[in-house]
Amino acid sequence: MQGQPEGYTAEEYEYELENRMKNLLWTVSGDYELDVELDIRSFWRSKYISLYDAVKQGAFARYFSKEEFGLYLVKKLYLGADEASLSNLAQMCVDQAVVEKVTRERKGVESLRKKAFADILERDFPKLSRPGNRTGRMKIAMLQEGIDGIYTAEKKIREQVEELFSIRHAVHTMDVIRKLDAFYNHLVDPEFEAQHGGLSQVLAVSAEDLKAFDWQDFLDETAAESSLEEMMRQMNSSVPLEEEEGERKVKASQILVSEEAASRMHSYIELHFGTSYMEEAEQKRLNRRICRGVHADCKLYFTDGILQNYVRENNTYVMAKRTFEMNQRFYRQNARVSRHNINELGDILKRSLQARSEEERYASSYGNIVPARLWKVGRSEDARLFVRETKRNHSDFVVDVLIDASGSQRSRQHMVALQGYILSAALSRAGIPHRVFGFCTFWDHTVMRRFREYDEGREADWRLMEFTSSSNNRDGLALRASADGLLERPEENKVLIMLSDGRPNDLVVNRPNVKNPSIYTGEYAVKDTAAEVRRLRSQGIAVLGVFAGEEQDLTAERRIFGKDFAYIRDISTFAHVVGRYLKKQVDDQ
């Protein structure tokens, strides 16, 4: 942590740092009109990372075309590439493209780069070394080589690292782009090329397509700007997207929109989430009853999704279709383990329900007389001369499944879709009526996307493959909305299962001349969601959290759901972990 010099305020020192880093960037690039986003705040964590970022960006702008590079990135995103993965690979390629060129001219850069790499390795090693993170292991090797001149890696990773180092010989921007595209298709999404085409198809995306595309969908959860130029600038930033996501959300906890944009809000939501299946008058009554307290001035919007009820075939519709296809492909790749989970979880529930249906016989003071006990008459105070038979009702269970469909789930939406499908299909197999919603929050509307209703047949489960993620998440309001319908069900035993990443976060929109919802981020949002869970449990609903996020968010998940949450580390354990909880709910009732 770097301290500010005596005599400076924090603002003055940040301004001084920005000037220093911009001067460094301009000096290296030779372009004093160059406008690149700099990570000033990261200086407080590591001055070496921040300063090397400025050098790297300046060098790339000098030796290559950042406009050409940025345009490739947004075209790749347009075709469905994962934003964070593409950005991280891009920055690794940028480093290798400039390292030899800039160190030949400026000898001090080599020492600065080593110190920056050492800080990155110390800070990010646990994340980079996670099992299955091939990009992370490649980055570890790159960092080690930059620090010590040598690295260690298994054969498959070593081959990719050597390809990465070969970018040092790049002369043209397209040389860097070709390598980056190959890395992404090999390491992140091996199916990308088969589905969307190779590099030539990516580059063939037209400027008209990009301008027509709604880039706001990519930026909702990071708060920000909707123009194509801004997207290109952000993708060229040296700061990996996931590393600064929290800071950008804090800075953007309130977004100002124009009055004109606010007036078009309902039609925009219809266009991008599908028309509502609920009558307007009913929707207004529901909003008045549910949107209270911290959620006052919010609205609920119930829809069957853009693929079911689209207004027109816009870019959001096209992306939803692509995601549907990708989710189905992921299921097919995991079909065997998925079917096993469905059968196992379904059978666990069926056996528990059948056990409830078995007749229980016990001694009683009335019922069918037992002749063998008549000797007790006049000789014992035990009046239980009869036997009674009872049968508990096996059909008195109902389940709601609520799935976080916010933008923070985008990188794992195929896994979330599969988990939701397994759960829904298993409940269908057991004959338990259930309803499934996905939820996200756009502006002041919390969108409740219905996948299936309680009494639909098994064919409705497959609609979970339509799961897609965008925007923010107001978990407390979504829980309240789901429970409202669940409490009206006639079944005695009610269960609500919530699949989430433990990160309730709604970037509040400031609309002119109207009341606006309260800020819903960080500690405040976690406390509200936990309070809503406790309230529902006090009303007789058993609430289970299924964690579908990163390990660093487990603490928040525990605070929200207490001991009743399941952490699914591997899809193969899904049935066992979730089944154990649901079996307990059935057996204890």
Side-chain angles (χ1 to χ4, degrees):
M1 180 73 70
Q2 313 298 322
Q4 71 191 53
E6 187 177 349
Y8 280 83
T9 65
E11 292 78 8
E12 288 171 341
Y13 189 47
E14 264 196 25
Y15 179 74
E16 177 67 22
L17 286 175
E18 184 172 10
N19 282 337
R20 189 186 311 174
M21 291 170 67
K22 282 188 174 180
N23 283 329
L24 183 59
L25 181 144
W26 290 333
T27 301
V28 173
S29 68
D31 180 1
Y32 285 83
E33 295 182 357
L34 184 62
D35 181 21
V36 177
E37 181 182 14
L38 291 172
D39 183 24
I40 308 301
R41 290 180 178 270
S42 72
F43 191 93
W44 299 96
R45 294 193 298 269
S46 169
K47 64 182 179 181
Y48 303 117
I49 296 175
S50 299
L51 292 174
Y52 182 63
D53 279 343
V55 170
K56 182 172 62 176
Q57 291 194 78
F60 192 79
R62 177 177 179 181
Y63 300 114
F64 300 95
S65 169
K66 70 181 185 69
E67 290 77 15
E68 183 181 359
F69 192 64
L71 191 57
Y72 156 77
L73 293 173
V74 294
K75 288 179 178 182
K76 190 79 170 178
L77 287 179
Y78 172 81
L79 292 176
D82 176 66
E83 186 179 356
S85 300
L86 183 64
S87 178
N88 287 328
L89 281 169
Q91 289 308 317
M92 292 165 65
C93 292
V94 166
D95 174 85
Q96 293 302 307
V98 303
V99 58
E100 290 188 349
K101 296 176 177 65
V102 72
T103 52
R104 277 198 301 266
E105 294 187 3
R106 300 180 180 277
K107 301 301 182 184
V109 169
E110 184 176 359
S111 174
L112 175 62
R113 182 173 181 262
K114 285 183 178 182
K115 292 174 180 177
F117 277 18
D119 284 356
I120 294 171
L121 193 59
E122 180 180 2
R123 183 189 68 185
D124 295 342
F125 184 81
K127 177 177 64 179
L128 297 174
S129 59
R130 287 174 188 163
N133 187 357
R134 294 192 293 169
T135 303
R137 295 205 300 278
M138 187 169 79
K139 187 169 183 177
I140 289 174
M142 183 192 82
L143 295 171
Q144 290 175 335
E145 193 274 343
I147 297 168
D148 300 321
I150 57 173
Y151 70 92
T152 56
E154 60 266 40
K155 182 180 179 181
K156 288 184 178 179
I157 298 300
R158 191 163 61 247
E159 291 173 355
Q160 296 301 309
V161 174
E162 292 302 320
E163 283 294 313
L164 179 64
F165 291 161
S166 72
I167 300 177
R168 295 173 183 178
H169 306 300
V171 176
H172 304 292
T173 308
M174 189 52 64
D175 299 333
V176 184
I177 290 172
R178 288 192 187 95
K179 291 290 185 181
L180 171 57
D181 197 69
F183 284 137
Y184 183 89
N185 294 344
H186 181 75
L187 296 171
V188 179
D189 188 357
E191 300 293 329
F192 187 94
E193 191 167 359
Q195 184 174 4
H196 303 294
L199 180 57
S200 59
Q201 281 75 26
V202 175
L203 298 177
V205 173
S206 68
E208 287 71 24
D209 290 333
L210 295 177
K211 288 176 182 177
F213 190 78
D214 183 13
W215 288 105
Q216 184 70 30
D217 281 353
F218 279 105
L219 296 172
D220 280 336
E221 68 271 23
T222 52
E225 309 84 354
S226 59
S227 70
L228 173 59
E229 291 76 15
E230 180 59 34
M231 187 65 189
M232 289 174 62
R233 181 194 62 77
Q234 183 160 314
M235 286 305 297
N236 269 316
S237 168
S238 62
V239 185
L241 295 178
E242 76 243 22
E243 292 178 11
E244 292 303 303
E245 179 181 358
E247 289 187 8
R248 285 201 305 274
K249 284 184 176 180
V250 170
K251 290 188 288 184
S253 59
Q254 291 188 320
I255 308 168
L256 181 64
V257 299
S258 68
E259 193 164 1
E260 180 185 3
S263 68
R264 298 198 304 268
M265 187 183 301
H266 186 80
S267 61
Y268 183 95
I269 288 173
E270 281 191 329
L271 189 64
H272 291 272
F273 294 98
T275 55
S276 177
Y277 60 78
M278 191 172 288
E279 293 291 335
E280 184 178 356
E282 182 184 359
Q283 182 66 82
K284 287 181 178 179
R285 286 194 298 270
L286 199 62
N287 284 334
R288 285 194 296 269
R289 187 171 74 251
I290 295 177
C291 300
R292 296 175 175 272
V294 66
H295 307 298
D297 305 310
C298 295
K299 295 182 178 68
L300 290 163
Y301 186 81
F302 290 83
T303 176
D304 286 325
I306 191 170
L307 293 183
Q308 299 290 329
N309 292 313
Y310 62 92
V311 176
R312 59 182 173 84
E313 294 189 10
N314 58 358
N315 286 301
T316 307
Y317 178 84
V318 172
M319 289 297 293
K321 285 188 68 176
R322 289 176 183 166
T323 302
F324 180 38
E325 293 166 0
M326 291 171 67
N327 290 344
Q328 290 180 95
R329 184 172 70 243
F330 185 72
Y331 168 79
R332 289 192 294 271
Q333 292 169 348
N334 296 274
R336 185 183 61 80
V337 69
S338 299
R339 287 194 295 268
H340 173 76
N341 272 276
I342 292 168
N343 294 338
E344 182 181 353
L345 181 54
D347 290 345
I348 288 171
L349 295 173
K350 284 169 68 175
R351 286 194 296 270
S352 296
L353 291 173
Q354 287 168 358
R356 288 176 58 84
S357 301
E358 294 175 358
E359 292 182 348
E360 292 185 355
R361 298 168 58 89
Y362 59 94
S364 175
S365 58
Y366 64 96
N368 297 321
I369 194 166
V370 181
R373 295 178 184 171
L374 292 177
W375 66 269
K376 294 184 179 182
V377 177
R379 296 186 177 90
S380 171
E381 294 182 358
D382 186 358
R384 293 179 299 170
L385 309 177
F386 304 85
V387 65
R388 288 190 64 199
E389 296 180 354
T390 63
K391 181 187 293 186
R392 289 187 294 177
N393 184 7
H394 78 281
S395 61
D396 58 353
F397 276 86
V398 64
V399 175
D400 260 24
V401 180
L402 190 58
I403 306 176
D404 175 4
S406 65
S408 61
Q409 299 277 47
R410 180 172 291 125
S411 64
R412 52 182 172 269
Q413 61 188 3
H414 54 287
M415 180 61 73
V416 177
L418 184 58
Q419 289 180 346
Y421 171 69
I422 290 172
L423 185 53
S424 183
L427 290 167
S428 291
R429 180 180 174 88
I432 298 176
H434 63 287
R435 179 177 63 171
V436 184
F437 277 120
F439 72 94
C440 67
T441 300
F442 182 81
W443 289 4
D444 60 348
H445 285 65
T446 288
V447 178
M448 303 290 290
R449 197 288 193 203
R450 181 176 63 178
F451 290 100
R452 64 159 290 144
E453 267 294 351
Y454 292 110
D455 301 314
E456 287 190 273
R458 293 187 180 187
E459 67 280 357
D461 299 324
W462 190 249
R463 289 203 291 267
L464 267 297
M465 289 295 112
E466 296 176 11
F467 176 84
T468 186
S469 56
S470 70
S471 305
N472 307 304
N473 53 309
R474 205 172 184 91
D475 294 27
L477 180 56
L479 279 165
R480 189 179 297 182
S482 180
D484 185 73
L486 184 60
L487 286 167
E488 293 180 356
R489 291 288 298 185
E491 291 84 359
E492 180 181 356
N493 303 298
K494 299 174 174 63
V495 179
L496 194 156
I497 303 172
M498 186 176 191
L499 277 69
S500 74
D501 61 2
R503 298 168 64 187
N505 188 79
D506 181 20
L507 307 180
V508 178
V509 172
N510 275 336
R511 297 167 296 152
N513 305 320
V514 295
K515 291 182 179 181
N516 291 290
S518 302
I519 294 175
Y520 197 78
T521 59
E523 179 73 8
Y524 187 81
V526 170
K527 285 183 177 179
D528 175 73
T529 307
E532 193 63 37
V533 168
R534 291 194 298 271
R535 188 182 71 85
L536 297 184
R537 286 172 176 164
S538 71
Q539 293 179 304
I541 298 177
V543 183
L544 166 69
V546 176
F547 183 62
E550 302 294 338
E551 284 192 31
Q552 62 263 31
D553 297 315
L554 271 173
T555 301
E557 185 82 355
R558 288 193 182 97
R559 291 178 58 197
I560 292 171
F561 295 102
K563 60 181 175 55
D564 291 329
F565 86 95
Y567 179 23
I568 312 300
R569 291 179 174 85
D570 189 305
I571 193 65
S572 64
T573 65
F574 187 87
H576 174 72
V577 176
V578 177
R580 184 173 54 195
Y581 174 85
L582 292 178
K583 182 178 185 300
K584 181 177 182 296
Q585 295 303 310
V586 174
D587 294 346
D588 289 350
Q589 299 301 322

